[in-house]
């Protein structure tokens, strides 16, 4: 046996170095097995033997510190290629609305800005390139979401074995900026409800203004969740139009909505009740979103009257379309704007142009339906209602305090809503 040769032989798993026929030096370290049962090796290359050995040592140190990269995390993989893999994996991890926003951010801004770069070459300049491309086109709040999407994708890339430097995540983020959205003035809120008073579905708009229910919660409310005897609403479902995704083993060439084996795109673990087509009832995003709200006497009486004349819905919806089918946010918004026009109210803000003779110094826009929900919170806080009670009624909480407001007394909540109803001019 050649002792010297035996001594020179590398220990198994420490890697090997050899020269290719074109003169390039290659170094490889064993990395287990592939899904197909073949050996998996991680390879480095250099023009000289010494440089190849140095790179191999650096690669082994990186593996020791961060673990083996995920199979498929090739050093040559581009941001564009990884982004599509990331989006496909993310379909089951987030809700369809969040996925759609992430996909838009990736395909509209991230890939055009840095899609041709290798993931392994992403640095702080890549982050700045994405922000530069989107600046001037996106609002500050959308820029914040863009950075959140980019950071999440790069963090997942690092978990997959791509060497994303930590300083990438330290690039300063854009502030959210100021929003002119708030709540309806008390006089405006009362005027809108007065305009709705003659409508048989007036309870729909009181639900937004008094009960603090979100649009999707109102459109998804079913009669089985309305307990008129106990005087409570069980807000446990939201009406959402989900997205279709392919159900076939391989892409069939058709759009997801026309795929013969299509299925609804949902977050893994979500509870969904399909109503019609892609329109479904889904659970709120957090436990705090599911809540029981007490009904003030006026609201209870309005719902009793509405139940007698409401369209017959095969799904038991409280506020469906005239034909009984699920309502749509678009139609709901249109009805909300029509009420404001009838009440002659609008959100006002300073006029950016210097006022001239006979021109008001303010301009107006319609209130959004979500601002009706803001109105509930504002009136409750102005009535000096305990913050925990407000949070329980609204079902609005941060992650750190999700469990904190789940056991608020129904008596306190009812007393608070009675006070708001009186301020809105709704008789007991």
């Amino acid at each position: 046996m050649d002792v010297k040769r035996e001594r020179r032989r590398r220990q198994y798993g420490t890697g090997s170095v050899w020269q290719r026929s074109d003169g390039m030096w290659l170094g490889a370290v064993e990395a287990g097995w592939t899904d197909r049962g073949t050996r998996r090796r991680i390879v480095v290359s250099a023009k000289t033997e010494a440089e190849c050995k140095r790179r191999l040592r650096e690669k082994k140190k990186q593996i020791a510190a961060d673990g083996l990269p995920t199979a498929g995390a090739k050093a040559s993989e581009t941001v564009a290629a990884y982004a599509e893999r990331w989006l496909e994996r993310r379909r089951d991890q987030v809700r369809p609305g969040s996925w759609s926003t992430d996909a838009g951010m990736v395909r509209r801004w991230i890939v055009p800005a840095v899609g041709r770069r290798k993931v392994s070459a992403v640095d702080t300049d890549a982050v700045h390139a994405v922000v530069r491309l989107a600046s001037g086109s996106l609002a500050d709040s959308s820029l914040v979401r863009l950075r959140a999407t980019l950071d999440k994708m790069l963090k997942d890339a690092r978990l997959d074995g791509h060497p994303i430097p930590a300083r990438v995540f330290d690039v300063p983020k854009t502030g959210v900026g100021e929003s002119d959205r708030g709540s309806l003035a008390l006089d405006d809120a009362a005027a809108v409800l007065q305009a709705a008073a003659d409508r048989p579905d007036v309870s729909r708009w009181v639900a937004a203004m008094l009960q603090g229910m979100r649009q999707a919660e109102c459109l998804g409310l079913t009669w089985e969740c309305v307990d008129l005897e106990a005087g409570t609403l069980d807000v446990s479902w939201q009406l959402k139009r989900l997205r279709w995704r392919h159900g076939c083993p391989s892409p069939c060439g058709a759009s997801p909505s026309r795929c013969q084996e299509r299925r609804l795109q949902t977050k893994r673990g979500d509870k969904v009740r399909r109503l019609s087509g892609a329109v479904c009832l889904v659970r709120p995003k957090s436990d705090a979103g599911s809540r029981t709200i007490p009904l003030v006497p006026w609201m209870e009486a309005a719902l009793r009257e509405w139940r007698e004349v409401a369209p017959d819905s095969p799904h038991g919806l409280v506020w469906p379309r005239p034909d009984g089918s699920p309502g749509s946010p678009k139609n709901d918004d249109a009805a909300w704007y029509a009420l404001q026009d009838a009440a002659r109210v609008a959100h006002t803000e300073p006029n950016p142009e210097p006022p001239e003779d006979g021109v008001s110094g303010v301009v107006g826009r319609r209130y959004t339906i979500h601002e009706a929900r803001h109105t509930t919170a504002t009136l409750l806080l102005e009535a000096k209602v305990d913050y925990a009670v407000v949070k329980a009624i609204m079902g609005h909480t941060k992650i750190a305090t999700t469990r904190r407001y789940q056991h608020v007394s129904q008596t306190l909540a009812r007393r608070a809503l009675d006070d708001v109803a009186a301020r809105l001019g709704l008789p007991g």
Side-chain angles (χ1 to χ4, degrees):
M1 178 183 295
D2 189 339
V3 178
K4 291 184 178 179
R5 182 179 178 184
E6 188 68 22
R7 287 176 180 174
R8 290 197 302 268
R9 182 179 298 170
R10 289 178 178 269
Q11 184 179 355
Y12 179 79
T14 60
S16 58
V17 176
W18 71 96
Q19 190 175 27
R20 209 163 52 190
S21 59
D22 61 359
M24 182 69 72
W25 285 86
L26 304 178
V29 61
E30 296 292 336
W33 304 85
T34 67
D35 294 337
R36 294 174 295 179
T38 57
R39 284 189 178 278
R40 180 186 173 203
R41 296 193 301 174
I42 297 174
V43 180
V44 298
S45 61
K47 293 182 178 181
T48 65
E49 181 180 11
E51 177 62 16
C52 184
K53 290 180 178 179
R54 187 193 68 78
R55 291 185 180 182
L56 187 61
R57 287 195 299 270
E58 291 298 320
K59 178 59 68 174
K60 288 161 53 182
K61 288 180 182 179
Q62 181 185 341
I63 293 174
D66 302 330
L68 287 171
T70 302
K74 300 178 181 178
S76 60
E77 187 171 34
T78 64
V79 171
Y82 180 80
E84 286 303 317
R85 287 204 302 123
W86 180 75
L87 285 173
E88 186 59 34
R89 185 171 60 191
R90 195 160 171 76
R91 283 182 185 272
D92 298 326
Q93 299 173 345
V94 296
R95 293 203 161 189
S98 296
W99 184 90
S100 181
T101 301
D102 285 340
M105 294 296 182
V106 166
R107 293 166 178 166
R108 178 66 181 86
W109 305 109
I110 297 176
V111 169
V114 296
R116 294 184 179 181
R117 300 191 189 196
K118 294 181 180 179
V119 182
S120 57
V122 168
D123 54 12
T124 55
D125 180 64
V127 177
H128 289 302
V130 172
V131 174
R132 278 197 305 271
L133 180 63
S135 295
S137 298
L138 294 181
D140 289 343
S141 58
S142 297
L143 283 174
V144 171
R145 180 57 192 267
L146 173 61
R147 274 299 307 276
T149 300
L150 177 61
D151 285 358
K152 174 59 178 172
M153 187 181 77
L154 294 180
K155 286 178 180 178
D156 287 348
R158 187 167 62 177
L159 288 175
D160 287 342
H162 287 292
I164 307 297
R167 63 180 180 275
V168 164
F169 307 104
D170 295 330
V171 175
K173 296 177 174 59
T174 305
V176 176
E178 295 184 2
S179 172
D180 66 341
R181 291 192 178 186
S183 59
L184 280 72
L186 181 57
D187 290 344
D188 286 353
V192 170
L193 291 182
Q194 183 62 38
D198 295 332
R199 294 174 57 109
D201 66 345
V202 60
S203 55
R204 159 67 188 97
W205 312 110
V206 175
M209 204 93 70
L210 173 63
Q211 308 290 154
M213 294 176 64
R214 300 173 176 89
Q215 183 180 57
E217 293 170 344
C218 288
L219 297 180
L221 184 68
T222 59
W223 286 112
E224 67 182 3
C225 294
V226 180
D227 190 339
L228 295 177
E229 300 305 320
T232 59
L233 290 180
D234 178 11
V235 184
S236 299
W237 297 94
Q238 297 180 347
L239 188 75
K240 297 285 187 180
R241 179 178 291 276
L242 304 184
R243 299 171 61 95
W244 292 108
R245 63 180 299 183
H246 283 284
C248 47
S250 59
C252 58
S255 64
S257 61
R258 296 182 180 275
C259 175
Q260 294 297 316
E261 300 181 43
R262 68 181 185 181
R263 58 192 178 92
L264 291 171
Q265 179 178 323
T266 59
K267 178 183 177 182
R268 188 181 297 112
D270 266 0
K271 294 183 178 179
V272 176
R273 291 168 54 184
R274 185 179 172 190
L275 301 185
S276 175
V279 178
C280 304
L281 293 180
V282 300
R283 291 291 192 186
K285 288 190 293 185
S286 67
D287 291 342
S290 296
R291 61 201 188 279
T292 300
I293 306 176
L295 293 172
V296 300
W298 188 96
M299 186 64 171
E300 181 183 330
L303 283 172
R304 288 184 185 277
E305 294 179 7
W306 172 242
R307 188 169 58 176
E308 298 300 320
V309 299
D312 184 22
S313 168
H315 312 294
L317 296 170
V318 175
W319 295 295
R321 294 185 183 187
D323 63 358
S325 61
S328 71
K330 182 178 180 179
N331 291 341
D332 196 61
D333 285 340
W336 170 245
Y337 295 142
L339 282 176
Q340 294 178 60
D341 292 344
R344 300 181 66 83
V345 301
H347 184 286
T348 58
E349 55 190 4
N351 192 337
E353 300 296 332
E356 299 177 358
D357 293 341
V359 178
S360 172
V362 296
V363 293
R365 64 160 175 80
R366 289 165 167 157
Y367 292 103
T368 66
I369 187 61
H370 197 70
E371 285 178 294
R373 177 172 157 80
H374 281 284
T375 303
T376 308
T378 300
L379 292 174
L380 287 169
L381 291 172
E382 287 180 354
K384 298 183 179 179
V385 177
D386 185 83
Y387 185 69
V389 179
V390 178
K391 284 286 188 179
I393 291 173
M394 303 297 294
H396 186 209
T397 183
K398 297 179 181 179
I399 296 176
T401 55
T402 299
R403 302 288 181 184
R404 186 173 174 184
Y405 306 109
Q406 290 185 341
H407 306 291
V408 174
S409 165
Q410 286 287 305
T411 301
L412 288 175
R414 189 182 302 278
R415 186 183 306 159
L417 290 175
D418 282 339
D419 182 82
V420 172
R423 298 192 69 193
L424 287 172
L426 299 174

